[in-house]
Amino acid sequence: MLSSVERAAATRKTLAKYRTLPFDWSKRATCIHLARYHLRNMGHRPPAIPDFRSALGAKRALEKTGFADMAALLDSLLPSIAPASAWVGDLAVLEGGEGFDSIVIHAGGKWLGYHMDDLGGLKPLVVTEIKGAWRA
């Protein structure tokens, strides 16, 4: 397990790449790509992401994995935690758009992720309901 200093450094590396990277299905700039990149920075070896370039393609790719949703996929990779006990670098799932949940990263008192109203990069989110959280 990474120290708090290492977790913060790995999270900063992820945020440096995605902070201004616009959400784009066709360019592989989605929350699942964000999560995979972040997990690799945190020392995990997540499986490859099937190639998809649209919301429909992403739905098909998720179905092929055999998981019902993003939470089930994360359950297969990481230990579940109570959202209130999240550390810097942990992941959570929020209700998202286009029939998908959204994966976000804990960044010390706030959750960062793509927001449907401004897909120009990661934003601090006002979180009212977390569907699940995982120790990264």
Side-chain angles (χ1 to χ4, degrees):
M1 181 165 296
L2 299 178
S3 70
S4 60
V5 171
E6 293 167 321
R7 293 176 69 80
T11 302
R12 280 192 303 274
K13 182 176 178 182
T14 300
L15 297 179
K17 177 176 179 176
Y18 282 89
R19 185 174 305 277
T20 59
L21 186 65
F23 182 96
D24 191 323
W25 291 109
S26 65
K27 294 181 180 175
R28 299 176 188 93
T30 69
C31 65
I32 191 67
H33 293 95
L34 162 75
R36 184 173 190 279
Y37 181 80
H38 181 61
L39 288 175
R40 291 181 58 85
N41 288 340
M42 297 288 283
H44 297 279
R45 296 180 55 93
I49 298 171
D51 191 32
F52 56 84
R53 306 274 179 137
S54 68
L56 180 58
K59 285 180 193 246
R60 289 180 180 152
L62 183 61
E63 287 172 4
K64 285 181 184 178
T65 67
F67 296 106
D69 54 27
M70 300 303 282
L73 175 63
L74 289 174
D75 275 338
S76 75
L77 301 172
L78 302 167
S80 181
I81 60 169
S85 68
W87 297 341
V88 170
D90 287 341
L91 300 178
V93 168
L94 313 176
E95 186 171 332
E98 296 190 53
F100 284 98
D101 289 333
S102 177
I103 301 173
V104 297
I105 298 174
H106 193 262
K110 59 188 165 193
W111 294 95
L112 298 175
Y114 287 110
H115 191 281
M116 294 184 307
D117 292 338
D118 182 356
L119 296 174
L122 299 184
K123 306 287 184 265
L125 304 173
V126 175
V127 177
T128 57
E129 184 176 332
I130 295 176
K131 289 184 159 189
W134 294 265
R135 180 76 66 222

